[in-house]
Amino acid sequence: MSLRKKTGEWIRQSVFVGPGLIAFSIIVLVPFLLGFYYSFTEWNGLDLNKAKWIGMDNLNRIFANDEKFWASLAFTLKFTAVTVLITNGLAFVLGLALSRALKTRNFLRTVFFLPNVIGGILLGYIWQFIFTKGFKTIGEFTGWPLFELPWLGTPGTGFWGLVIVFVWQSAGYMMVIYIAAIVGVPKDLSEAAVIDGASYWQTVRKVTIPLIMPAVTVCLFLTTSNAFKMFDLNLSLTKGGPGTSTQSLAYNIYAEALVNNRYGLGTAKAMIFFVLVSLIAITQVWLTKRKEVEA
Amino acid sequence: MKRMSALLMATALVTVMAGCGNDNDNNGAASPNASGGSASPASTESASPAAEKKDVKIKIFNFKVEIADKFNQLAEQYEKETGVQVEIETHGGGEDYNALLKAEIASGSEPEIFNSEGFAALEPYYDRATDLSGEAWAKDVVPAAAAPATVDGKLLGMPMNIEGYGIIYNKDLFAQAGITELPKTLTQLKDAVAKLEAAGITPFSTTNEWWSIGHHTINVGLAEQPDPVEFIEDTKTGAASFKGNSVYENWINYVDLVFGHSQKDKLTTDYATQVSLFATGKAAMIQQGNWIQGDIDKVAKLNLGMLPIPLDDSGKSHIYTGPANFWIVNSKSKYPEEAKAFLNWLATSETGKTYLTKEFKFIPALVTIPATADDIGQLGAAVSEQAKDAGGWHWGRYPDGVIQGWGAAMQEYQGGSIDKDKLFEKFDQAIKDIVQ
């Protein structure tokens, strides 16, 4: 009796969870475990049977002499810090502005959200054109020094070029999350604050922000992990150049595995990357979770 | 509404399928416009009236999409003359030719002839590539074109064509600046640059494209080593280095000349912009190869020539040629002898030669095949003319990843963030990173 019940339960579980689990295993779990194995081998990515077990050599190599990997890590950290700040600042301000009673509200929301619909590769190419041709033409007409810089041609402009496009692309999405949260703040609380004599900014700071902390958590988490994993934009906008000065960590891994044909070393880097992303994500969620309050 | 969308769906499906169908037709040997054959030079046809139809069919796995139609016509011609059927299957352009070739061979179908690049790319096919050194045409192959497929003295493939690069110059702008004698040494090139600048003309159109300023430019120094192959092998073991190498000490002067006297926004100029600057007459020289002819012709009819690249004042300067691709005879296929005969016919018969130059627009890799500027363009003719003592393309001797590292270093040097010594260090480091 109880055995039959148990089998029934099993069948039900596997019918409902099974398909998803199988897909997840094939697409995520198995490749991940394989990657874990390959990170200890020397392999060119072609014939599976030619992967040679070399133990910790890949990791030793990365930690002992792989300047480019560490340079790209430094670049990625800097990029993440800058973009997370700017994106969230901008998205929050946009969210505040577009949750007020404006006539063009819906139109503007669409406009700011639109860049997010275009894929990163395409955006990169569009902006590459804007930076190298558009900015140049504006510079020729106006003579403004900002537009006369060799955009994307120097490490500095390459970095800020990436930041601009990344912020432009992701601020719209974060804005939508902020709008949803701001609209969800109970009216009575802000009204009470106003009656008590609080100015607009005081209300924002003391009432709105504490109440939308869950949204802040989500947005910070999304922007951090997106910025840290940035790849498509990097590939199409600067190709990591000039030189390797704007090479993100993800791009460095890609180049190691698919350009240099060192799959083993590439997956070893990817494993380090995975650990880093998890660490950052966990700490950051844990930190902001503590700040969340309930109304 | 629902029916409407179903109809649309069905139409879409049919279109897609029809698209595939067409594709197959093109790939097959019988291309509809080939049977007419009026345009093709069929002088030999009457000499050998349709030979006995043999029951032999050779298959060619072709990678050059641009010649697919003409190649099919040629196959028709060959069948008329010899009775051997030639089937051409073309994969290239947007398709991943190398992967498809591997899949084809893995599936057990062994085409008689297939395309492959030389050096490292050819290695997986060493056991299939037939030694062609004994063929009648083998001694006429341009040396620089034979090198990538020459292993232990054996020629493992027939080079399809050659491509070459040097300093391409605009004859009219040179005349305008009063340059009467073509620069053969670095000092003369500097003089020419000064004259151009005095006439208000930008001397060079350059780019930040990693492959152009990277391995194309760096190869000049490699090819000018007393023994390029030895130097390359020594750099791999660490016995030789770029830093302190006398050829590269001269080479950097040429690089500085180009970078120092090119258009203002070179750091953001990609390949297409570089070529269009030159094509519109805004710069007088460009370090590129004959492959830019087509793009230039789209913009303007220019009077062009190709200068060898001078590194010093010795007067011994060269252009650099290499083969784009090879025809490999597959020894594991059914009719390797017939395949050899086909290549032989291609290289020696009048029909074959005419097709190579006039129809395929190839710069011939054999010295016995004449080519005129009308057939292959001014630049092609210039390359063809200087091919006999041109330097080779040596970057293929390094494993993947090295040239990418070089390209990155050159971009940094171009941007001024590293100096000469650091640049050479980075060249050495790029090799060490990959080879060690």
Side-chain angles (χ1 to χ4, degrees):
Chain A
M1 176 67 197
S2 91
L3 188 75
R4 256 182 77 184
K5 207 172 167 189
K6 230 177 178 173
T7 346
E9 185 69 14
W10 261 105
I11 291 172
R12 204 181 317 153
Q13 293 287 356
S14 41
V15 165
F16 287 108
V17 183
L21 189 68
I22 289 171
F24 178 77
S25 308
I26 294 174
I27 297 166
V28 179
L29 213 58
V30 172
F32 181 81
L33 292 175
L34 279 176
F36 191 70
Y37 166 71
Y38 287 127
S39 63
F40 295 104
T41 62
E42 190 184 320
W43 182 41
N44 64 4
L46 285 178
D47 305 304
L48 282 170
N49 50 5
K50 281 188 187 153
K52 198 174 92 203
W53 180 268
I54 52 168
M56 300 299 280
D57 279 11
N58 282 332
L59 286 175
N60 284 341
R61 187 192 173 110
I62 294 168
F63 282 100
N65 60 10
D66 197 332
E67 277 173 46
K68 281 186 184 154
F69 179 77
W70 298 108
S72 65
L73 176 64
F75 171 83
T76 309
L77 288 175
K78 191 172 129 196
F79 178 81
T80 309
V82 173
T83 50
V84 166
L85 272 178
I86 302 181
T87 308
N88 283 289
L90 187 68
F92 180 68
V93 172
L94 283 175
L96 267 186
L98 296 184
S99 54
R100 307 180 74 181
L102 289 174
K103 267 219 181 91
T104 51
R105 195 168 74 174
N106 283 333
F107 173 71
L108 285 177
R109 281 183 188 178
T110 318
V111 166
F112 286 117
F113 185 71
L114 216 53
N116 205 267
V117 184
I118 314 172
I121 290 272
L122 203 59
L123 266 187
Y125 286 125
I126 294 171
W127 273 91
Q128 192 186 41
F129 177 81
I130 296 178
F131 279 132
T132 54
K133 304 274 155 56
F135 274 29
K136 195 179 124 192
T137 317
I138 296 176
E140 272 165 19
F141 276 115
T142 59
W144 290 338
L146 181 70
F147 291 104
E148 284 188 323
L149 291 174
W151 276 94
L152 305 184
T154 59
T157 51
F159 176 79
W160 286 107
L162 281 169
V163 169
I164 291 171
V165 182
F166 185 87
V167 169
W168 185 69
Q169 183 191 15
S170 45
Y173 192 79
M174 302 308 147
M175 174 195 75
V176 170
I177 300 178
Y178 282 123
I179 289 177
I182 291 169
V183 170
V185 171
K187 278 272 178 310
D188 45 349
L189 287 178
S190 40
E191 269 168 24
V194 172
I195 291 167
D196 285 345
S199 72
Y200 178 70
W201 285 114
Q202 276 172 325
T203 332
V204 167
R205 239 181 34 191
K206 303 280 181 192
V207 180
T208 315
I209 292 184
L211 284 173
I212 63 163
M213 259 349 246
V216 175
T217 311
V218 171
C219 286
L220 281 180
F221 171 71
L222 282 177
T223 37
T224 313
S225 72
N226 282 349
F228 209 78
K229 293 189 295 193
M230 179 207 41
F231 172 74
D232 44 3
L233 206 57
N234 202 201
L235 180 75
S236 57
L237 195 64
T238 65
K239 290 196 186 70
T244 50
S245 56
T246 63
Q247 202 174 51
S248 72
L249 210 50
Y251 192 92
N252 181 277
I253 292 167
Y254 157 82
E256 192 66 73
L258 295 162
V259 178
N260 298 355
N261 281 334
R262 292 191 292 202
Y263 232 86
L265 190 57
T267 37
K269 287 181 177 182
M271 285 301 148
I272 298 180
F273 185 58
F274 165 75
V275 172
L276 283 175
V277 174
S278 333
L279 274 181
I280 292 175
I282 291 167
T283 344
Q284 191 257 320
V285 169
W286 175 72
L287 275 176
T288 25
K289 269 269 183 211
R290 291 195 315 181
K291 290 230 170 68
E292 287 179 17
V293 292
E294 306 257 331
Chain B
M1 191 62 213
K2 214 169 196 174
R3 192 174 294 165
M4 187 72 173
S5 61
L7 203 70
L8 272 175
M9 194 68 182
T11 327
L13 272 176
V14 170
T15 324
V16 168
M17 280 152 79
C20 297
N22 277 339
D23 225 31
N24 289 338
D25 281 356
N26 282 340
N27 291 340
S31 120
N33 53 350
S35 43
S38 55
S40 45
S43 52
T44 46
E45 197 186 331
S46 50
S48 57
E52 277 294 289
K53 191 162 177 80
K54 293 188 210 166
D55 196 21
V56 173
K57 189 165 114 183
I58 61 175
K59 184 169 171 184
I60 301 180
F61 214 69
N62 172 39
F63 121 105
K64 209 143 176 75
V65 200
E66 297 87 343
I67 64 167
D69 287 346
K70 305 281 184 193
F71 210 2
N72 281 325
Q73 288 179 21
L74 183 72
E76 288 273 297
Q77 290 284 339
Y78 188 67
E79 193 181 344
K80 266 187 207 155
E81 283 185 28
T82 62
V84 175
Q85 215 185 330
V86 180
E87 185 195 337
I88 294 161
E89 198 175 315
T90 301
H91 296 285
E95 294 180 276
D96 188 346
Y97 174 82
N98 290 319
L100 283 166
L101 176 63
K102 274 186 192 135
E104 173 92 3
I105 290 177
S107 76
S109 155
E110 301 271 0
E112 270 74 15
I113 299 176
F114 59 86
N115 290 127
S116 170
E117 288 171 46
F119 293 129
L122 186 58
E123 254 169 58
Y125 302 112
Y126 277 177
D127 53 341
R128 284 195 168 72
T130 317
D131 178 14
L132 301 176
S133 349
E135 296 297 297
W137 46 264
K139 60 182 190 320
D140 302 324
V141 176
V142 175
T150 308
V151 180
D152 302 332
K154 289 183 205 157
L155 181 64
L156 295 184
M158 180 187 200
M160 228 179 183
N161 59 347
I162 55 175
E163 294 187 315
Y165 68 90
I167 301 173
I168 297 168
Y169 68 101
N170 184 328
K171 287 181 179 166
D172 296 334
L173 289 181
F174 264 42
Q176 203 180 314
I179 301 165
T180 46
E181 202 185 331
L182 289 180
K184 290 192 186 63
T185 66
L186 191 63
T187 313
Q188 286 171 345
L189 187 62
K190 279 181 183 158
D191 289 346
V193 165
K195 278 184 187 164
L196 285 166
E197 279 179 340
I201 301 164
T202 309
F204 287 100
S205 167
T206 188
T207 170
N208 69 347
E209 211 76 61
W210 69 275
W211 50 270
S212 176
I213 59 171
H215 52 274
H216 279 181
T217 303
I218 294 168
N219 176 61
V220 177
L222 289 177
E224 294 306 322
Q225 300 290 337
D227 184 345
V229 182
E230 192 191 334
F231 176 76
I232 288 165
E233 293 311 319
D234 283 352
T235 54
K236 288 183 193 167
T237 58
S241 64
F242 287 84
K243 199 174 181 176
N245 181 277
S246 59
V247 176
Y248 275 93
E249 289 297 327
N250 290 329
W251 170 87
I252 198 78
N253 294 329
Y254 161 72
V255 174
D256 287 341
L257 183 70
V258 175
F259 286 172
H261 300 274
S262 44
Q263 80 279 14
K264 197 183 77 188
D265 49 1
K266 56 179 179 290
L267 294 182
T268 57
T269 306
D270 62 2
Y271 168 60
T273 317
Q274 181 201 19
V275 173
S276 88
L277 268 176
F278 179 75
T280 49
K282 287 187 185 130
M285 291 181 274
I286 183 172
Q287 184 207 299
Q288 278 292 356
N290 59 288
W291 51 83
I292 68 170
Q293 180 91 53
D295 286 334
I296 292 177
D297 290 347
K298 276 180 221 156
V299 181
K301 274 268 163 273
L302 295 181
N303 239 330
L304 301 175
M306 193 183 277
L307 294 171
I309 299 175
L311 296 185
D312 52 27
D313 289 342
S314 67
K316 280 184 291 179
S317 49
H318 307 103
I319 66 162
Y320 300 91
T321 58
N325 224 292
F326 289 91
W327 279 304
I328 311 288
V329 172
N330 183 352
S331 60
K332 294 192 181 170
S333 65
K334 230 167 150 191
Y335 304 110
E337 288 309 314
E338 291 295 340
K340 277 189 193 173
F342 175 76
L343 287 185
N344 197 28
W345 177 81
L346 185 64
T348 54
S349 77
E350 281 311 312
T351 319
K353 285 187 195 176
T354 327
Y355 260 91
L356 279 176
T357 52
K358 287 203 167 57
E359 305 288 341
F360 297 174
K361 310 258 178 225
F362 282 172
I363 304 175
L366 301 175
V367 291
T368 44
I369 303 177
T372 65
D374 285 341
D375 299 336
I376 55 175
Q378 284 172 311
L379 295 178
V383 170
S384 182
E385 213 172 88
Q386 302 178 47
K388 244 191 138 74
D389 50 15
W393 290 0
H394 293 286
W395 59 82
R397 297 180 193 274
Y398 287 101
D400 294 323
V402 172
I403 59 172
Q404 283 82 0
W406 287 350
M410 283 298 279
Q411 286 180 338
E412 288 177 57
Y413 183 72
Q414 189 184 36
S417 56
I418 57 173
D419 63 2
K420 180 186 94 181
D421 289 337
K422 192 86 187 135
L423 175 71
F424 290 154
E425 266 170 40
K426 290 208 171 199
F427 286 175
D428 290 322
Q429 187 63 38
I431 299 171
K432 231 175 100 193
D433 277 348
I434 300 292
V435 175
Q436 74 167 198

